[in-house]
Amino acid sequence: MKRFWTALLSTLFLTLALLPLRAGAAANQDYFYSQLDAGAKEIYSHLLQNRDSLRSGTPVSISKSGMDHASASHYMQSSANAVKALNRDHPEIFWLDGWRTEASGMGNDYTFTLSFDFGDSWSSAYGTRSIAGDESAMNSQIAALAAQARAAGSSRYDQLASVHDWLTHNNLYNSYAAGLRSPIGDSTPWEAISALDTSLSPVCEGYARAFKLVCDELDIPCVLACGGDHMWNCVQMEDGAWYAVDVTYDDPVVSYNGVAQNKLTSGGETRRYFLVGAQDFTDHTYDRDWNYPTLNRVSYAAGSAPVPEPAPVAPDTAGTPAEPVIPEVPTTPAVPAAPATPDSTTAPAATASDWAREEVDGAIRSGLVPPALQSGYQSKITRAEFAHLAVVLVEQVTGSSADRLLEGLGREMDSPFQDTRDPYVLAAYALGIVNGRTKTTFDPDGSITRQEAAAMLTRAANILGAPVNGNAKEFRDSGQFAPWAAEAIAYVSSVRTPDTNQPVMGGVGGKQFDPFGTYTREQAFITAYRLLQALAGS
């Protein structure tokens, strides 16, 4: 699946990928917009009002007055969130692949200028396709499929079945593109055009985006959902309940570069993942960046009006994360993780602890903390969440996306893990920041210990070229340090912030480091923020 990375510098430079935005879509395109803060909503709306600039690649500027540096940094973070929401709500501008925001100003007046990159298929470097031609063809096909769906029946079931079946019977999954992740010169498989133009061949994003666009035309509420390396849809039926639709999984044709390996169709198209309820959708895992619709417990039955039986199938950003028992041992042989056991008895606080609030707020303003993690501050941070935090830290300091960093290092963003395809975990693993529990498992929902946090932060600093030979602070429990953690603990306890002279990680009192102690979200945010300050001031 196509990946989107952020990089926020002290000079207020941000890079992130942006996808589609189509004029004339239904009123069903504000699901993720509704989850934004006021600043992000302003940017989101401004981009929508400048569709012609998005189409032509002309930079878009937003002027703001009465802003201090911290507010400007926060606005940059809002910019990232706005683009992510646009990517989910408006899968129509298929030609955009990335954008950058630069801030300039005098005193308290800032101008934020957003510049755009085009996908390879429409870029000056590789492009051979016409934006106007593809846009016209795509919109015509959407209108035709919507008309065909209306003719199939008046119920949402009949209309959705018509769209679903057309997409599965007229497309071949592009295994070649999926294997290469992003074939140079061809970005079509990740866009809706690939599933609407029968001469092309989509991956999961192409199927899901096309399905949503036709649903928008039909005024049927439809949301793009992501998890790991996959994308599908959630739709709302007349009963008011939500159900999952995975067009990709219902089209089992195997193809390479758009060429079918077993004739025109496989004959194996199904409706196995059509309007599925939570109890039948357990093989999909949602990402943590957004709140998704809660699926009805049971699947939808054609011609019936079931009573909604809600059951959460996606993690809520205000929920309590899983708290497994066994800590990471990032050396081989690794210790397998115990099954995660969610703690449902205590709801995490919505705000940071008093002692942590100032630095947590600083971490958020600096762009370190993803919106999905801005709650449950006293909860144990999971391994996947800490990997996400570490990757954003590296991107901020370098001013480059993880994709480009790995390309420069000659490394592939892939991993042997069978229990996660989270892009941040894969990037952290490829960069050498994290290890697995075993050779094939990562345990994304597992918690981390203090010495593991020290090791991961030190590896991140090492990637950034920081000297990691710290003057070891004397801890009374140093005999408990794992051999692989001793140097890291020495580093994080000795390197200090330039302004407040705080160590990145200190002790817990009584000259104890507590290497096997657990690590909370707010502790992770603070230490990452201190390391960011220390590296920026070095």
Side-chain angles (χ1 to χ4, degrees), residues 336-380:
T341 304
D343 178 1
S344 59
T345 60
T346 305
T351 60
S353 302
D354 290 342
W355 62 268
R357 189 166 297 132
E358 183 177 351
E359 288 184 283
V360 168
D361 288 346
I364 293 173
R365 287 194 303 270
S366 72
L368 267 178
V369 186
L373 299 186
Q374 293 175 23
S375 63
Y377 293 99
Q378 292 79 42
S379 301
K380 296 176 184 177

Side-chain angles (χ1 to χ4, degrees), residues 431-432 455-468 491 531 535:
L431 287 168
M456 294 177 195
L457 289 169
T458 302
R459 294 180 200 132
N462 191 42
I463 291 169
L464 298 168
V468 295
Y491 173 71
L531 181 57
L535 293 174

Side-chain angles (χ1 to χ4, degrees), residues 146-230:
Q148 178 178 297
R150 293 187 184 99
S154 59
S155 71
R156 287 186 182 177
Y157 182 92
D158 290 337
Q159 293 179 5
L160 291 171
S162 173
V163 179
H164 170 279
D165 292 353
W166 189 93
L167 290 171
T168 58
H169 285 279
N170 289 276
N171 280 292
L172 304 170
Y173 181 77
N174 199 328
S175 299
Y176 175 82
L180 291 182
R181 300 295 177 88
S182 184
I184 293 176
D186 184 15
S187 48
T188 60
W190 290 267
E191 310 300 345
I193 184 69
S194 65
L196 297 170
D197 182 340
T198 56
S199 68
L200 301 175
S201 184
V203 294
C204 62
E205 289 196 35
Y207 285 99
R209 293 180 186 281
F211 186 79
K212 173 173 168 53
L213 289 177
V214 183
C215 286
D216 290 344
E217 194 75 16
L218 292 167
D219 289 320
I220 298 176
C222 180
V223 173
L224 293 176
C226 287
D229 245 9
H230 190 49

Side-chain angles (χ1 to χ4, degrees), residues 293-484:
T294 295
L295 298 189
N296 196 56
R297 184 176 64 84
V298 298
S299 297
Y300 189 86
S304 67
V307 177
E309 300 177 79
V313 297
D316 188 309
T317 56
T320 303
E323 299 184 357
V325 177
I326 299 179
E328 173 186 42
V329 180
T331 55
T332 54
V335 178
T341 304
D343 178 1
S344 59
T345 60
T346 305
T351 60
S353 302
D354 290 342
W355 62 268
R357 189 166 297 132
E358 183 177 351
E359 288 184 283
V360 168
D361 288 346
I364 293 173
R365 287 194 303 270
S366 72
L368 267 178
V369 186
L373 299 186
Q374 293 175 23
S375 63
Y377 293 99
Q378 292 79 42
S379 301
K380 296 176 184 177
I381 193 166
T382 69
R383 288 163 52 75
E385 290 167 354
F386 199 90
H388 191 161
L389 192 67
V391 170
V392 173
L393 169 66
V394 171
E395 290 182 320
Q396 286 181 335
V397 176
T398 62
S400 181
S401 70
D403 288 327
R404 293 185 179 180
L405 287 172
L406 289 170
E407 183 179 354
L409 293 171
R411 301 179 189 176
E412 295 290 334
M413 189 156 63
D414 205 350
S415 80
F417 304 135
Q418 299 175 359
D419 57 350
T420 183
R421 299 301 295 174
D422 185 315
Y424 288 98
V425 171
L426 269 60
Y429 176 78
L431 287 168
I433 297 173
V434 300
N435 297 311
R437 295 286 201 192
T438 70
K439 291 182 179 179
T440 58
T441 62
F442 181 75
D443 186 21
D445 293 322
S447 57
I448 65 173
T449 63
R450 286 174 52 80
Q451 66 180 354
E452 291 162 8
M456 294 177 195
L457 289 169
T458 302
R459 294 180 200 132
N462 191 42
I463 291 169
L464 298 168
V468 295
N469 298 318
N471 296 318
K473 181 177 179 179
E474 292 186 6
F475 290 106
R476 290 177 179 175
D477 54 357
S478 59
Q480 300 178 29
F481 298 172
W484 48 264

Side-chain angles (χ1 to χ4, degrees), residues 9 107 124 142-143 174 187 236 256 297 380 487 497:
L9 294 177
S124 58
I142 289 170
N174 199 328
S187 48
Q236 189 177 39
Y256 293 90
R297 184 176 64 84
K380 296 176 184 177
E487 184 180 34
T497 59

